[in-house]
Amino acid sequence: PVVEVMFCDFTTIAMDQIVNQAAKLHYMFGGKAKVPLTIRTTIGGGRSGAAQHSQSLHAWFAHVPGLKVVVPSTPYLIKGLLKASIRDDNPVIFCENKTTYSVRGLVPDEDYVLPLGRAWIHRQGRDVTIVATSAMVYKALDGAKQLAERGIEAEIVDPCGLYPLDVEALAESVRKTHRCVIVDEGVRRFGATAELSAAVYENAFDYLDAPIIRIGASENPMPFSPPLEQATIPQVGDIVAAVQEVVGKPQ
């Protein structure tokens, strides 16, 4: 079964079924029960959906044992990871950012499946690792172009999901660049950036030459007003400023 929940905000009405039932049945039946459920939903703001249609709640689900959480970015990744989610025997929360629906990209006609829990490198770099999720990948890519003009080469790593998490890919990139900025559209407090940051610290601490900077949405319900909405969501300028701070070059 593939369930379409138009906004992740509406999954709150089904949290008992998702968190207390689907996530736990395999365990409670001693591994004999399978729950091959895919819940496809949307996250993020940027379209003036206001407070009840613009949240990014993917970190909620990643906190629950038994659920897999996929947060793809490009058309190529979305197709391959959605196929993998549907074929998986575990419940998968598949979160697509609304703003990515207008993005065009190359997608092979033939059948292909991408493994869940494997990060994707969108750009190679030597000076800093930018870990970006979902639509933040595009802002990180735009920021990387600006940074390159200033002599800073950023590597952009997309986890493609929060669980399973490709910790080794994050650590390997940071071991190369020695600096890290993490950006996610969810609210920064107790959000995805905290877990991603902890994963880097626990696996690449000795390689860091500067503290990690985390970028997330500000701590307020999403405004309807477009200017206020943009002020709430992380922007390209925030990423560029954070990178310049960790690299130590003048702004």
Side-chain angles (χ1 to χ4, degrees), residues 16-28:
D16 177 62
Q17 293 92 327
I18 297 170
V19 173
N20 288 331
Q21 306 304 326
K24 295 175 172 58
L25 288 178
H26 179 72
Y27 172 81
M28 295 179 71

Side-chain angles (χ1 to χ4, degrees), residues 10-133:
F10 299 167
T11 60
T12 57
I13 299 172
M15 287 300 273
D16 177 62
Q17 293 92 327
I18 297 170
V19 173
N20 288 331
Q21 306 304 326
K24 295 175 172 58
L25 288 178
H26 179 72
Y27 172 81
M28 295 179 71
F29 281 85
K32 295 181 180 179
K34 296 180 181 179
V35 188
L37 167 69
T38 299
I39 298 178
R40 183 169 174 253
T41 189
T42 64
I43 59 174
R47 296 175 61 182
S48 293
Q52 297 168 331
H53 299 75
S54 305
Q55 297 174 90
S56 295
L57 304 177
H58 45 293
W60 281 18
F61 297 106
H63 187 71
V64 179
L67 296 179
K68 294 186 177 182
V69 182
V70 180
V71 190
S73 55
T74 67
Y76 175 80
L77 292 174
I78 287 174
K79 179 179 178 179
L81 291 171
L82 182 58
K83 282 178 170 287
S85 300
I86 293 171
R87 298 176 188 186
D88 198 289
D89 281 334
N90 300 283
V92 180
I93 313 298
F94 196 90
C95 304
E96 303 168 37
N97 192 289
K98 305 176 194 72
T99 61
T100 63
Y101 287 155
S102 60
V103 174
R104 299 178 66 87
L106 293 175
V107 178
D109 290 331
E110 65 270 14
D111 183 42
Y112 69 95
V113 178
L114 299 176
L116 302 182
R118 183 173 298 175
W120 192 267
I121 308 296
H122 291 278
R123 187 182 192 278
Q124 297 285 342
R126 64 174 184 273
D127 297 316
V128 61
T129 296
I130 302 176
V131 180
T133 62

